[in-house]
Amino acid sequence: MALYSREDDVAIIAVNNPPMNALSHHVRKDLIKFLKVAEADENVTAIVLCGDGRTFPVGADIKEFHKSVSALGPTIIDIVHALEKSSKPTVAAIHGSALGGGLELALGCHYRIAMSTSKVGLPEVKLGILPGAGGTQRLPRVIGLDNAMKWIAYGHHHPAGVGASLGLIDRIVAKGGDIRRSAILFARSMVGKGLGQRRLSNVSVPDASKVEELMAKHLKEVGLRTRGALAPVVCLQVIKSSALLSYKDGLESERQGMMTLLASSESKAQIYSFFSERQVSKWNAPGIANHATAKPMQVRSIAVVGLGTMGRGIAISSLKAGKKTYVVELNSKALAAGVKYIRGYIETMKKRAQISEEQAAAMQSAIIPVSSYNGIANVDLVIEAVFENMKIKKEIFGKLDKVCKPSTILASNTSTLDIDEIASATKRPEKVAGMHFFAPAHIMLLLENIYGRKSSAETIATIMDIGKQMKKITVLVGNCVGFVGNRMYGYYTTESVFILEEAAYPEQVDKVLTDYGFAMGRFQVGDLSGNDIGYKIRTGLGITHKQQPAGTPERKRGVLRYCPLGDFLVEKGRLGLKVGKGWYKYEGSRTPIPDPEVRKIIDEYRTRHHIVPRDISSEEVLQRMLYPLINEGFKILEEGIAANPWDIDMIYQYGYAWPRHTGGPMYYAFTIGLPQVLKVIEEHWKAAGASEPHWQPSTMLTWLVENHGNPDISQWMPLMQKHKSKT
Ligand SMILES: CCCCCCCCCCCCC[C@H](O)CC(=O)SCCNC(=O)CCNC(=O)[C@H](O)C(C)(C)COP(=O)(O)OP(=O)(O)OC[C@H]1O[C@@H](n2cnc3c(N)ncnc32)[C@H](O)[C@@H]1OP(=O)(O)O
């Protein structure tokens, strides 16, 4: 709802719809009603619009989207027009954030004043839509086309001070000031000043003459930064109309753009992503605990064991979260190098104004270098980040168990290994868990937390809470080889080399993936992270080309199909970007260049095995790259390793750069339709049989299709649970 009050001659309309003052239908009805009251009251000379509680409205109510109530009048645009048309000065008093429809209301007001700490922006593009209440037409009229294109096509939130420097905010109220009081005084001072040019629909776009040049520039940029997404492009096209058409016709173009986007699968995927991102914090470890019942332990200090690339990043994340951070290396040289890197990184963040001087000083003084495990006996949490080797990890956990106080939680940053086996090296398996960070750990937003068979509710709640304090998208999963992310990714890479074998070169496969929306294709990613990583894993499994006894068929490992092309590359020293050659060659830059040498390796291999390369469609490449991964996702759900499909999708968006506008692998499967996905998987399974187990259809996927067709993604787990409880 909204509240109406009077301060002498100034009417105050305050939106009151906790937690974020979203502009739900009941709020919109109140706003129109109170604007009419204020307009009609001859004792009112000016009107202040504000938000109660945490913030100014942050936009339309996203929960209403794709429901008929979102279209029910009065719409936000009706309110914008009522604010602008008012014969009395209307002033938006902004605290917290004025975003989306919230900022559009503020643009309808004749004046805007804001707390210096507040943020403004039109982030609709991140929901796969556009500002649909006049924002595409009004913002360019205030801050110019160039800025408006940037603001709207990327959807960032901007400090109010930046808004003031562009003319969007008329007055800034310093921190600690009273925004509502300031707005009342400001509104009163504007009475009788004339509103003509304050009504933005009367104003023209200042840099309209540069429209074509600016369009070309921004279209190119969004093409690179948000590859494959429709919304940024439609946003730009609609903003363009503000320079070419009248306000009224521009609004019509905005309406049409909105309808196109609302009807797209992209907006549904983005809205799903918005809520999924928030949903993962409501974690559940079935049979052990959930977010609502379990209490975290207070963690004041964290020790990071191992200061390689991962350990350094984890230590920086710990310091950023305000923890006293013990950094541990038994070798003094390695310790000094790690500490030097961490200290240097903090100084760089300070120089770039990413942190304040005080924060930097606090982080520096919170680093405690240690060269023996005895030095971390009293820490609350240890995160081990040494080499990915079970024997070494078990040795370390055994030692930590002996020296650390009984309450210390011991976590491993393993990316694949069995947490229960690691826990078995200790006498406190209930205090052992996995915290799988993604490299570089201080930058990547994903944290995949793993609970073991014996992890306690408190241990799980604590690692989830630490993830939140580190400002990570923290997803809880169960224990299995590779957990969720890497277990699924394994089949993506397996199938990719089968495609090379049969039909395509790396650049052709990668192009299909980048056209789909990935920033990089699978082979470019391999080169970037190092092809030796996968080689080491295959060596651990004893399956590389070199490890096979003479006479072993090159394309088989036992009954399983195998393709050694990745082994050949590494054995020829093509480790990737770091050595200037891998699946591609690199000539002094990070740009991948298709390499005739790689083609030769593939061609010779094909000839040796009498493989005649065939034409392959982009559709087939995409299906073969993505469907095995999706199939494995269903197996993961079926086994209870992930509690919900959106947990998997958030892991893929934040850990593997899955394009947000398609929602993630599981949401994408829903968009395609589960029956269609299953059909393709079954065809491959029929053709490949037991030699390619990644095509064996998941029981859950099959059951869902046979019994429910393509049920809504929110219903997958409830349907399965109901089914299991009956059987
Ligand atoms: C069927 C066809 C119909 C056709 C007709 C359609 C006509 C449509 C006309 C439309 C007019 C368009 C108007 C406008 O242009 C569109 C919009 O405004 S879209 C919304 C734009 N705003 C945003 O995207 C902001 C979203 N929010 C945030 O980014 C963040 O919440 C925040 C504001 C930065 C704060 O972050 P935090 O402090 O971290 O808090 P949380 O994010 O955890 O949020 C707390 C809580 O609030 C819920 N929430 C937040 N914003 C909204 C919202 N806009 N609507 C609904 N709910 C919201 C959030 O989900 C959390 O909920 P919880 O998880 O606690 O349940």
Side-chain angles (χ1 to χ4, degrees), residues 695-710:
W695 286 114
Q696 178 165 24
S698 127
T699 318
M700 174 173 168
L701 172 60
T702 310
W703 183 85
L704 282 174
V705 171
E706 282 173 359
N707 293 280
H708 300 277
N710 189 32

Side-chain angles (χ1 to χ4, degrees), residues 307 312-313 315-316 319 325-327 335-351 355 359-370:
L307 290 186
R312 292 171 186 189
I316 294 168
L319 290 161
T325 304
Y326 292 74
V327 287
L335 180 63
V339 170
K340 188 174 167 206
Y341 178 89
I342 296 166
R343 292 201 185 284
Y345 191 85
I346 296 170
E347 288 312 299
T348 308
M349 286 197 292
K350 186 174 81 180
K351 270 190 211 127
I355 51 173
Q359 273 171 306
M363 283 170 76
Q364 293 287 13
S365 63
I367 304 171
I368 306 168
V370 175

Side-chain angles (χ1 to χ4, degrees), residues 19-20 54 58-62 70 101 104 124 131-132 274 278 282:
M20 306 311 283
R54 269 179 73 178
V58 300
D61 184 341
I62 305 170
S70 65
E104 289 173 302
E124 286 86 343
F274 176 86
R278 283 148 185 86
K282 300 179 178 128

Side-chain angles (χ1 to χ4, degrees), residues 144-156 158 217-218 221 225 236 239:
L145 265 186
D146 195 12
N147 289 315
M149 283 180 170
K150 252 184 257 157
W151 280 41
I152 295 173
Y154 301 112
H156 297 315
H158 305 269
K217 175 176 107 171
H218 289 290
E221 260 174 51
R225 286 174 46 182
L236 290 177
I239 302 166

Side-chain angles (χ1 to χ4, degrees), residues 533-676:
I533 295 180
Y535 190 78
K536 268 187 204 140
I537 296 173
R538 294 195 295 281
T539 304
L541 297 169
I543 58 173
T544 62
H545 172 69
K546 257 196 175 163
Q547 291 169 298
Q548 307 314 305
T552 307
E554 252 186 345
R555 300 177 64 205
K556 282 269 175 211
R557 294 294 178 265
V559 293
L560 301 181
R561 178 176 174 185
Y562 188 77
C563 172
L565 282 168
D567 297 348
F568 295 160
L569 244 68
V570 173
E571 286 158 12
K572 283 180 184 297
R574 303 190 71 104
L575 305 187
L577 180 66
K578 60 187 166 193
V579 297
K581 58 180 185 177
W583 292 105
Y584 295 92
K585 61 180 175 180
Y586 300 86
E587 292 175 347
S589 81
R590 293 163 77 93
T591 310
I593 305 166
D595 190 346
E597 271 299 310
V598 172
R599 288 193 167 204
K600 198 167 157 235
I601 295 170
I602 297 171
D603 290 344
E604 283 174 2
Y605 171 78
R606 286 177 183 159
T607 309
R608 202 160 58 242
H609 293 286
H610 312 289
I611 300 169
V612 180
R614 63 180 174 84
D615 282 342
I616 187 165
S617 67
S618 299
E619 190 193 11
E620 184 185 338
V621 171
L622 193 65
Q623 288 175 346
R624 287 182 58 180
M625 291 301 295
L626 304 187
Y627 288 16
L629 187 146
I630 290 169
N631 194 30
E632 198 60 23
F634 277 105
K635 292 179 189 175
I636 280 169
L637 288 173
E638 192 175 301
E639 293 167 23
I641 299 291
N644 290 296
W646 40 90
D647 291 345
I648 299 179
D649 286 336
M650 290 305 102
I651 288 174
Y652 263 80
Q653 279 192 20
Y654 285 98
Y656 299 82
W658 188 286
R660 190 175 172 88
H661 64 272
T662 72
M666 307 320 283
Y667 190 84
Y668 178 60
F670 166 64
T671 312
I672 296 294
L674 300 191
Q676 171 60 17

Side-chain angles (χ1 to χ4, degrees), residues 19-20 22 54 58-63 65-68 70-71 76 97 99-102 104 123-124 127 129-133 157 258-259 262 274-275 278 282:
M20 306 311 283
R54 269 179 73 178
V58 300
D61 184 341
I62 305 170
K63 292 193 182 89
F65 275 28
H66 299 112
K67 293 187 191 142
S68 51
S70 65
I76 303 177
S97 300
L99 302 174
E104 289 173 302
E124 286 86 343
L127 299 171
I129 55 171
L130 51 71
H157 304 174
M258 185 66 148
M259 288 305 154
L262 271 173
F274 176 86
F275 287 116
R278 283 148 185 86
K282 300 179 178 128

